Amino acid sequence: QVHLVQSGAEVKKPGASVKVSCKASGYTFTIYHMHWVRQAPGQGPEWMAIINPSGGSTSYAQKFQGRVTMTRDTSTNTVYMELSSLRSEDTAVYYCAREGDSSSTLDYWGQGTLVTVSS
Amino acid sequence: DIQMTQSPSSLSASVGDRVTITCRASQSISSYLNWYQQKPGKAPKLLIFAASGLQSGVPSRFSGSGSGTDFTLTISSLQPEDFATYYCQQSYSNPLTFGGGTKVEIK
């Protein structure tokens, strides 16, 4: 069965960076694209980025261009999302989500990682 | 970016009721529309893909319809475990975008 397990909660100061991991199991890692989606308190989900684990190519939402970097490690079936220059508005739960067989449909999600940005 | 607008933003219903949630896209997205259910403190769960495809394991009381700009999620007979927030999401183009959500509460 497919599992996506994310790293634990983080507390960061404004201006710092955070790196969240997502370890995949139960399927062939390089076949399915992975997305990052965040959700601020009381808000709807917001798409951030996508990576093709096979070749490592990425695409980022314009809003996060220059601040977000998505990488992967095929030896451990893990994807990473690093967000820099953090501000209070980045306080949110960050999810990794696998893209299923239907284009850009997010069929499996990680449990979420709360990132709190506070001075 | 494609804007997704859901209505209503919340509704109250009783167990056994038929519930309908609508989602409108700011431009045509063909059938590239997905529906998710989210319970407090949990990740979203895929219910419907490609406007009307039922995700494996999802009860058949959930159904989706529509194409172009207007879409509907229907719960034919609301069950206690269905009280949650529902989101639509377009998968037509990047950036993927979500609706603002519809919270289904107990009447």
Side-chain angles (χ1 to χ4, degrees):
Chain A
Q1 61 279 35
V2 175
H3 285 300
L4 302 177
V5 179
Q6 298 182 219
S7 49
E10 303 262 13
V11 179
K12 296 291 182 181
K13 294 193 182 304
S17 297
V18 68
K19 191 170 186 177
V20 182
S21 67
C22 170
K23 184 174 176 59
S25 61
Y27 70 97
T28 303
F29 178 69
T30 52
I31 289 179
Y32 294 88
H33 294 184
M34 195 76 80
H35 298 250
W36 284 93
V37 175
R38 77 178 188 179
Q39 190 169 29
Q43 303 298 311
E46 178 179 33
W47 181 81
M48 298 179 67
I50 179 176
I51 189 167
N52 178 346
S54 177
S57 61
T58 56
S59 179
Y60 304 128
Q62 180 114 10
K63 175 177 179 176
F64 302 103
Q65 285 278 0
R67 286 210 300 144
V68 67
T69 304
M70 202 170 172
T71 55
R72 95 291 188 216
D73 182 343
T74 55
S75 68
T76 60
N77 290 355
T78 302
V79 297
Y80 300 91
M81 187 281 299
E82 184 169 21
L83 187 63
S84 62
S85 302
L86 290 169
R87 35 212 189 224
S88 58
E89 309 90 87
D90 294 318
T91 293
V93 177
Y94 290 75
Y95 294 100
C96 59
R98 192 189 80 161
E99 178 172 317
D101 294 323
S102 182
S103 175
S104 295
T105 296
L106 307 177
D107 62 352
Y108 288 94
W109 295 62
Q111 83 276 19
T113 297
L114 175 62
V115 175
T116 303
V117 183
S118 174
S119 55
Chain B
D1 298 1
I2 298 174
Q3 307 302 316
M4 306 301 294
T5 304
Q6 282 182 241
S7 61
S9 56
S10 65
L11 64 90
S12 295
S14 301
V15 172
D17 283 354
R18 181 181 182 88
V19 170
T20 299
I21 299 168
T22 63
C23 178
R24 173 165 289 177
S26 60
Q27 67 182 73
S28 178
I29 57 171
S30 185
S31 295
Y32 291 93
L33 191 283
N34 308 309
W35 289 98
Y36 301 85
Q37 175 194 66
Q38 187 176 33
K39 296 182 179 179
K42 299 294 187 182
K45 172 189 173 184
L46 178 65
L47 299 176
I48 301 288
F49 63 91
S52 60
L54 189 67
Q55 176 68 357
S56 176
V58 173
S60 59
R61 63 181 179 273
F62 291 94
S63 64
S65 65
S67 66
T69 60
D70 294 311
F71 301 87
T72 300
L73 173 70
T74 299
I75 309 172
S76 60
S77 177
L78 197 65
Q79 297 302 298
E81 60 267 31
D82 301 336
F83 292 96
T85 300
Y86 294 84
Y87 294 98
C88 60
Q89 173 242 327
Q90 64 81 16
S91 53
Y92 182 79
S93 66
N94 283 349
L96 307 183
T97 47
F98 293 80
T102 296
K103 187 174 184 179
V104 177
E105 299 176 302
I106 302 172
K107 182 183 284 186

